[in-house]
Amino acid sequence: MPESAHTPVAIVGGGPIGIMLALFLDRYSVPSVVFDAQESQPYGPRGNTHNARTMEHYRRLGISVPIRRLGLPADHPADIAYFTRYTGTELSRLPLASRAQRMRQTAATPATDQTPEPVHRANQMYVEAFLYEHARTRPNITLRLGRRITLLRQNATQVELRAERPDGAAERWTARYAVGCDGGRSFVRRSLGVHYEGAGGLDQDVLGRRATAAHLRLPTFHREILTGRRAWSYWSLNSELVMNLIALNGEDEFFLLTSSVDPDTADTGRITDLVRRATGAPLPVEVLGQRPWTPGVALVAQRFTVGRVLLAGDAAHLFTPNGGFGMNTGVDDAANLAWKLAARLHGWGGAGLLATYEAERRPIARRNTAAARELNAGLGAVERPDTLEEDSARGEEARARVGELLRRYGERTHSLGVQLGARYDGSPIVTEDGEPPADSWGTYTPSSVPGGRTPHLWVDDWHGPGSSLFDRLGPGFTLLRLGGRAPDSKELEAAAQAQGMPLTVLDVDLDVARDLYERDLVLVRPDQHVAWRGNQLPTDSGELVALVTGSKAAS
């Protein structure tokens, strides 16, 4: 290694967001170096939900199919089930399709269905291991594991980093840009003097205050305790305790989340005792690992960009896990940021382009952290009366009442609006045209009003690889010519070529496409958000290209 090495983009933090950012940059032919203090990918359960938008991003990278093979077996239901105790009464159940059922349903959906890649339940530790191995095969990604960044400073032209190995030896790196994806205790964020803003943990018994997460092996749970319909998430909820067991492999490994044991005293014995009390039976318990965590937080960094240094993922926002929004919001950060870094490095992105990363993503972080916190508070508000386990009419009435409350809560966790509904209205690189649909956590309304996700469309009856409109979008901008009667696009193509902006022109000669988009022409950004729409090209196509590439402010 020479005394000083250079990379276009230095990514600090090799978790899923850092690796996804590197993979997006690789797609745009931008080299990056990923630094992580760990010498190997850490093993232990974290997040469990890869939402519909994240799965679309995986599809863009060509990895959604192998990722769907990870986690639960294909026929394992993804239900969320609530019990008084695992050997007691089932209070409520939110039935959710298994992986195999979801994909069969997707194959039979109408042309305008908006979830070509439905949500997938697979623990982050499995997906992260896959992403690491996949990143190793990519030509533009260098992994520097076992390197802790101990110095970060910047000037007008570059960022300087010091990467220290465990033996004390150090490497000096320079980069055009650096991105902090190094988690909630981000060295990069602290180096910039940027703090979190927002609400801390919630003071409640159900996933509040400080909590315990644990990785367990329960060899008899599925075989002897819950012998009926399986679930993905098993809650034990009574006046004494509340605990969630999330199935990891569909057999014997589980992820425990609870506030019913103090993380400072949660040794193997206390965790084992809690699981047995939640079960109502002396089942065997093996604790494979544990850690403390703080539920209820909704924290967003004051800034996402300082000069040539940017923040993404947990370094930019911290979530409570309710709803599974945290990692997924970070993946969307990476999708937004990667094309803008690539545009600047390849020379076609304007001077104002990178500033739009914070302008677009920080409001989404505030929106999504607030949604997760409200879900957390809603679960804590569900009553747990002393009569819940009573063998009496009072007990039966209490169980029916609590079961109904849990059913309503479970329905609120259907968050397609959060997953697909992020909008960048008011962004300086998005034109204004029409009224955007109302924001809703639970529902997503497809719309070609600029700023939102490009509405999805199946372009043939197969619904396989290549069948999605998203499969046919170019890696840069894409101009959709819809319905078979769209005007000529040569002027826009010439303006894009003059700017150096990559542009794919895609004809979609389907009436259903024109009806869905309500315009003849739609310009789609590299991150699949609509930048502009119209029935005719603008009078000056050069001005439009300058606007969407950050070379001029929106008028």
Side-chain angles (χ1 to χ4, degrees):
M1 168 74 54
E3 182 179 345
S4 178
H6 181 78
T7 180
V9 181
I11 300 172
V12 183
I17 308 310
I19 297 296
M20 282 296 290
L21 177 59
L23 289 170
F24 280 126
L25 291 171
D26 172 71
R27 186 171 189 264
Y28 302 130
S29 300
V30 173
S32 66
V33 176
V34 181
F35 300 92
D36 197 271
Q38 300 292 324
E39 294 186 335
S40 61
Q41 187 263 331
Y43 185 79
R46 298 275 174 174
N48 298 277
T49 299
H50 305 262
N51 73 21
R53 187 63 180 140
T54 293
M55 293 305 301
E56 290 174 358
H57 291 314
Y58 292 154
R59 185 179 183 124
R60 279 208 291 154
L61 295 171
I63 57 177
S64 62
V65 171
I67 284 178
R68 282 205 184 274
R69 299 191 188 109
L70 304 174
L72 298 174
D75 60 351
H76 190 110
D79 296 4
I80 302 174
Y82 302 89
F83 302 83
T84 54
R85 297 181 197 265
Y86 298 129
T87 56
T89 302
E90 183 174 306
L91 296 167
S92 185
R93 179 179 288 254
L94 182 67
L96 296 169
S98 68
R99 167 163 49 99
Q101 289 171 323
R102 285 181 188 275
M103 300 320 292
R104 286 196 297 269
Q105 291 166 359
T106 298
T109 54
T112 56
D113 181 71
Q114 292 303 305
T115 53
E117 291 286 350
V119 63
H120 178 54
R121 307 292 192 185
N123 197 268
Q124 186 176 314
M125 66 179 178
Y126 304 135
V127 176
E128 198 167 336
F130 170 86
L131 292 176
Y132 260 86
E133 293 308 310
H134 181 63
R136 293 181 189 277
T137 71
R138 304 308 304 159
N140 293 303
I141 300 175
T142 301
L143 299 178
R144 303 297 286 174
L145 305 183
R147 272 76 173 176
R148 182 182 302 277
I149 300 300
T150 58
L151 171 71
L152 184 146
R153 59 191 178 197
Q154 61 177 313
N155 57 35
T157 60
Q158 67 179 18
V159 182
E160 180 183 346
L161 304 97
R162 174 186 170 92
E164 197 168 293
R165 299 199 299 261
D167 62 5
E171 303 167 359
R172 180 177 176 270
W173 287 80
T174 59
R176 290 277 303 279
Y177 299 97
V179 184
C181 302
D182 50 340
R185 299 180 180 179
S186 170
F187 171 83
V188 174
R189 189 187 68 250
R190 289 183 283 114
S191 296
L192 298 174
V194 174
H195 304 283
Y196 284 134
E197 296 177 336
L202 286 166
D203 185 15
Q204 62 185 40
D205 292 335
V206 182
L207 296 190
R209 306 186 188 96
R210 294 181 70 242
T212 298
H215 184 191
L216 307 179
R217 179 171 287 119
L218 307 176
T220 65
F221 187 81
H222 279 135
R223 187 171 69 245
E224 298 178 4
I225 302 300
L226 283 173
T227 57
R229 178 176 169 85
R230 294 189 177 190
W232 162 68
S233 173
Y234 301 94
W235 286 88
S236 177
L237 183 145
N238 53 65
S239 61
E240 177 191 2
L241 57 85
V242 177
M243 192 180 80
N244 187 14
L245 283 178
I246 295 172
L248 296 176
N249 61 2
E251 297 178 6
D252 60 348
E253 289 193 38
F254 295 83
F255 186 28
L256 177 151
L257 298 172
T258 185
S259 290
S260 294
V261 61
D262 186 343
D264 293 328
T265 60
D267 56 17
T268 297
R270 286 184 172 86
I271 292 175
T272 298
D273 176 67
L274 178 70
V275 173
R276 288 173 176 168
R277 286 189 288 122
T279 303
L283 77 170
V285 178
E286 182 181 357
V287 180
L288 304 176
Q290 65 193 80
R291 60 181 172 83
W293 61 290
T294 303
V297 298
L299 300 174
V300 178
Q302 297 166 313
R303 299 283 308 277
F304 283 19
T305 304
V306 177
R308 292 179 170 270
V309 183
L310 305 102
L311 302 173
D314 284 357
H317 39 67
L318 272 184
F319 283 76
T320 191
N322 298 73
F325 303 150
M327 187 205 73
N328 294 289
T329 301
V331 170
D332 225 16
D333 291 343
N336 183 290
L337 177 57
W339 77 267
K340 296 173 181 178
L341 287 170
R344 290 293 289 156
L345 290 163
H346 288 319
W348 57 268
L353 185 59
L354 277 182
T356 68
Y357 168 64
E358 179 176 316
E360 292 182 346
R361 292 305 300 168
R362 194 166 183 271
I364 301 303
R366 291 199 300 267
R367 164 191 185 253
N368 290 2
T369 53
R373 181 178 169 86
E374 188 166 325
L375 283 175
N376 183 271
L379 181 60
V382 174
E383 62 175 316
R384 295 177 290 130
D386 292 339
T387 56
L388 195 60
E389 298 180 272
E390 193 175 279
D391 184 15
S392 65
R394 290 198 314 162
E396 185 174 343
E397 187 276 332
R399 288 187 289 274
R401 185 175 66 254
V402 172
E404 176 62 15
L405 292 172
L406 290 168
R407 184 192 65 78
R408 294 177 187 174
Y409 171 78
E411 289 176 349
R412 292 196 68 203
T413 64
H414 286 304
S415 57
L416 196 61
V418 173
Q419 297 175 45
L420 302 181
R423 296 193 54 87
Y424 304 142
D425 301 311
S427 168
I429 58 171
V430 170
T431 62
E432 294 186 9
D433 178 11
E435 185 70 23
D439 192 16
S440 167
W441 293 4
T443 59
Y444 165 72
T445 303
S447 170
S448 69
V449 172
R453 164 188 175 269
T454 299
H456 178 258
L457 182 74
W458 293 111
V459 295
D460 60 36
D461 294 332
W462 181 41
H463 292 196
S467 298
S468 168
L469 175 68
F470 291 174
D471 298 336
R472 306 187 183 193
L473 300 176
F477 279 78
T478 300
L479 180 67
L480 301 179
R481 301 178 71 248
L482 300 161
R485 296 176 296 277
D488 184 84
S489 58
K490 298 299 183 184
E491 289 185 11
L492 182 61
E493 294 175 59
Q497 185 175 19
Q499 177 77 13
M501 181 187 91
L503 177 67
T504 299
V505 177
L506 180 62
D507 289 322
V508 186
D509 298 338
L510 299 171
D511 289 340
V512 67
R514 178 59 176 77
D515 293 342
L516 177 64
Y517 279 85
E518 300 181 319
R519 297 291 188 279
D520 294 330
L521 300 169
V522 175
L523 184 62
V524 181
R525 305 184 338 177
D527 60 359
Q528 299 179 335
H529 280 249
V530 175
W532 169 88
R533 67 177 185 172
N535 290 323
Q536 299 288 334
L537 289 179
T539 304
D540 188 337
S541 291
E543 283 194 7
L544 175 60
V545 169
L547 186 145
V548 299
T549 59
S551 301
K552 70 181 288 290
S555 58

